[in-house]
Amino acid sequence: MSLEIIISDAIKDAMRAKDKVALDALRAVKSQILLLKTEAKGADVSAEQEIAILQRMIKQRKDSFDQFTAQNRSDLAEVEDAQSKIIEKYLPQQLSVEELEAEMKKIISQTGAESAKDIGKVMGMASKALAGKSDGKSISDMAKKLLS
């Protein structure tokens, strides 16, 4: 089942439950999917594109959360945090730190990377291999840790 159908069903459930935060988050996801479909002139949205949309939206909300927290706007920060948690439910299962480290070690050995100079090669391959399973910041942090 496509993410668009899953989100549409979740929107209906959120409307029935009168959950405004979930409704806002889900409507934002649906609008991004529809926008992507419009840009692609009606072509189907791939699973990778759907995951990329979700990850981008979560990252935006986490950045907003950090900014609102820094400005002592806890009311707005709470909304952003709640929305990011709702959107995260629709991502595939994320790798644990141990699983990410094991995957990164495999990728480093495949690329032959030896030092921090080779981080570009590792990140390129890791970003493709671990898309949807881990966010870019975690991948980057792990690569830096293992290559230093």
Side-chain angles (χ1 to χ4, degrees):
M1 189 180 302
S2 77
L3 180 64
E4 183 178 9
I5 295 169
I6 294 169
I7 295 294
S8 293
D9 291 343
I11 287 173
K12 291 174 193 171
D13 293 340
M15 289 170 103
R16 287 186 199 112
K18 296 183 179 6
D19 186 349
K20 183 174 175 10
V21 175
L23 192 57
D24 289 345
L26 296 169
R27 282 181 172 161
V29 171
K30 186 167 182 180
S31 77
Q32 289 296 311
I33 293 170
L34 291 174
L35 182 64
L36 186 62
K37 285 177 81 171
T38 304
E39 290 172 355
K41 296 184 171 58
D44 286 336
V45 178
S46 70
E48 293 82 20
Q49 290 172 313
E50 292 173 344
I51 290 170
I53 288 171
L54 294 174
Q55 287 178 323
R56 183 175 58 241
M57 293 182 78
I58 291 168
K59 183 179 184 314
Q60 289 170 344
R61 277 155 183 75
K62 287 184 178 180
D63 289 345
S64 295
F65 173 80
D66 292 341
Q67 289 177 353
F68 290 141
T69 302
Q71 297 170 358
N72 294 322
R73 293 295 310 265
S74 61
D75 55 330
L76 297 174
E78 289 171 7
V79 171
E80 294 295 326
D81 187 43
Q83 285 187 1
S84 70
K85 288 178 181 170
I86 290 166
I87 296 169
E88 282 176 349
K89 293 178 188 176
Y90 299 95
L91 276 176
Q93 181 66 36
Q94 300 293 294
L95 294 175
S96 68
V97 175
E98 296 81 22
E99 293 169 329
L100 177 61
E101 186 171 356
E103 289 293 322
M104 290 299 293
K105 285 180 180 177
K106 286 182 201 171
I107 292 170
I108 289 171
S109 67
Q110 289 172 357
T111 59
E114 297 174 0
S115 68
K117 291 189 310 185
D118 302 320
I119 200 161
K121 291 190 287 187
V122 173
M123 284 301 297
M125 190 170 178
S127 295
K128 291 177 186 162
L130 302 175
K133 297 177 184 175
S134 186
D135 64 285
K137 184 173 181 349
S138 300
I139 294 171
S140 175
D141 291 346
M142 185 61 68
K144 289 174 185 172
K145 176 184 162 193
L146 294 174
L147 290 174
S148 61

